[in-house]
Amino acid sequence: MGVTMSRRGDGEDRGWLRGAAPPPRWVRALPVVLLLGVGIAELVSDKPLDIGFLLGAIPSLAVLSYGPAATAAFGCVVVVLLNVPALHINHPGNTDLLTITFIAALSVFVSLVRSRRDAHLVTVRSVAEAVQLAVLPPLAERIGPVRCTGLYRAAQHGTLVGGDFFDVRDGPFGVRALMGDVQGHGLSAVGTVTSLLGAFREAVLDRRELTSVVARLDRRLSVDSASTEHSELFATAAVLEFSEDADAVRIVSCGHPQPLLLRDGKAVEIDVEPAAPLGVGLLGLSPPRECRVPLKRGDRLLLVSDGVTETRDPAGAFYPLVDRLAGFADAAPEVLVDLVWTDLVRFGTTIRDDVTILLLTPQPADDGD
């Protein structure tokens, strides 16, 4: 188990077209297959075939997956083959030969540009992964008496982190979990996410009351936005605290989607009285209230961001998370999270917001695995 955090993906079959993955093997094989196909066809044919023009496509195909040196090698082989009398490949005139030679040379140049772009993308992605690990490091499979499984998908293409944030920490007052959503998504929200996570990790260590943890997060966001005139920066959040023996959980919600309790193959929303979102300046006037929920053996808690609950189908209906969970609430934790994500992708026409799913399974140490 653990947490998978990555950007939205369409699979490697289409990811390579955006430079997100190496070309598949069949793309790398195309130049070789075409080269051998033309050569063999000419050798076994009783009369010359007018297919020499196909060789002109080989350097262009090589650009997709080979470097400048290999592309140049393919171009040289093509030019040589066009001049081998035994193959009778269309007996190209000077114009045809010059055209294919020009295409081969241009392909080498394009391959050089592509190789440098790919190297730049590798560097950018490495930096993005470093940022991801700094902002949202992978969770341990088990933190105290709680097992953690989750998934993170950033809405903005090319990014690995966005406006959603979560963390689970063990401290002197118990295991505490946080899930939240900063206004907006993508790189513009990363700074706020980092600030809130830092405030939460400090509060876990020195704030006895759960409401005090929320107050620390609210103050952090208010301070960060104080220097901006007419700032509309805010965040929703849900903070949880598990008892030492994992037989109860306390929850405070600040405008975040309600946590779900999975029990006996059913999913129900936990009725938490919502407080105002963080950063809007209302928590001092109306402090948040805790909700205590007794837990039974086998219970699980599911937290999601509004990227899940606000996904719409082609008819405009919202994703019915509670109803959908009924079909796979008994699945293993790591399987359940993947099932929710797969079902969400099938349900929605497009997913425009960050998607975060966090499954917490209270399990005292003497329960076993």
Side-chain angles (χ1 to χ4, degrees), residues 2-44:
V3 177
T4 301
M5 297 174 287
S6 61
R7 66 178 178 84
R8 289 179 59 200
D10 298 319
E12 289 190 1
D13 55 335
R14 283 180 285 179
W16 70 274
L17 292 174
R18 301 190 303 269
R25 293 180 179 179
W26 65 267
V27 175
R28 294 182 61 84
L30 277 178
V32 178
V33 171
L34 184 57
L35 188 64
L36 293 176
V38 172
I40 293 173
E42 289 287 356
L43 287 174
V44 301

Side-chain angles (χ1 to χ4, degrees), residues 29-358:
L30 277 178
V32 178
V33 171
L34 184 57
L35 188 64
L36 293 176
V38 172
I40 293 173
E42 289 287 356
L43 287 174
V44 301
S45 177
D46 296 334
K47 56 182 179 179
L49 300 176
D50 191 16
I51 59 174
F53 67 94
L54 293 175
L55 294 178
I58 291 176
S60 299
L61 291 174
V63 169
L64 296 175
S65 52
Y66 291 94
T71 302
F74 276 113
C76 292
V77 171
V78 167
V79 173
V80 170
L81 290 179
L82 287 171
N83 290 278
V84 174
L87 294 178
H88 305 290
I89 302 180
N90 198 31
H91 296 291
N94 289 336
T95 301
D96 295 331
L97 182 59
L98 289 175
T99 299
I100 293 178
T101 302
F102 174 76
I103 292 175
L106 183 61
S107 298
V108 173
F109 174 74
V110 173
S111 178
L112 177 63
V113 173
R114 182 194 61 78
S115 298
R116 292 185 175 180
R117 185 209 63 179
D118 289 350
H120 176 69
L121 288 177
V122 169
T123 301
V124 170
R125 187 165 183 82
S126 298
V127 172
E129 290 174 349
V131 171
Q132 171 185 284
L133 292 175
V135 176
L136 294 175
L139 294 176
E141 293 184 5
R142 182 178 183 128
I143 300 177
V146 181
R147 300 185 71 88
C148 310
T149 309
L151 176 143
Y152 188 103
R153 294 289 187 270
Q156 184 172 326
H157 288 296
T159 63
L160 300 176
V161 292
D164 288 359
F165 57 96
F166 59 92
D167 201 0
V168 182
R169 296 276 164 165
D170 195 0
F173 310 111
V175 174
R176 288 169 170 172
L178 167 70
M179 176 176 283
D181 184 4
V182 174
Q183 174 198 26
H185 53 76
L187 296 177
S188 60
V190 173
T192 303
V193 167
T194 304
S195 181
L196 287 173
L197 285 173
F200 171 73
R201 290 160 186 168
E202 290 183 0
V204 164
L205 300 176
D206 56 26
R207 295 289 175 172
R208 179 178 297 276
E209 299 299 325
L210 202 58
T211 52
S212 297
V213 176
V214 174
R216 174 72 67 86
L217 297 175
D218 181 64
R219 187 184 69 176
R220 179 71 269 167
L221 197 56
S222 299
V223 170
D224 289 349
S225 60
S227 59
T228 303
E229 187 176 2
H230 305 301
S231 173
E232 297 180 354
L233 183 63
F234 67 90
T236 64
V239 185
L240 292 76
E241 179 183 288
F242 291 90
S243 61
E244 184 177 355
D245 54 3
D247 65 349
V249 61
R250 294 191 298 156
I251 306 172
V252 173
S253 177
C254 297
H256 200 74
Q258 301 285 49
L260 299 175
L261 175 64
L262 279 61
R263 174 181 291 173
D264 299 329
K266 298 179 181 179
V268 295
E269 286 189 351
I270 299 176
D271 187 15
V272 182
E273 183 177 342
L278 304 174
V280 299
L282 296 179
L283 289 189
L285 301 176
S286 178
R289 295 184 179 180
E290 293 182 4
C291 172
R292 185 181 184 277
V293 180
L295 298 174
K296 298 180 180 180
R297 189 179 301 274
D299 285 353
R300 290 178 285 182
L301 294 167
L302 183 73
L303 293 90
V304 300
S305 64
D306 58 10
V308 176
T309 56
E310 295 183 1
T311 294
R312 297 174 182 263
D313 67 5
F318 289 111
Y319 180 69
L321 177 61
V322 175
D323 295 337
R324 297 286 182 141
L325 280 174
F328 34 76
D330 289 329
E334 63 276 10
V335 176
L336 187 148
V337 169
D338 288 337
L339 286 174
V340 173
W341 167 249
T342 302
D343 189 53
L344 183 70
V345 172
R346 291 174 180 171
F347 177 88
T349 52
T350 56
I351 299 177
R352 303 182 182 277
D353 201 356
D354 301 328
V355 170
T356 306
I357 305 170
L358 183 61

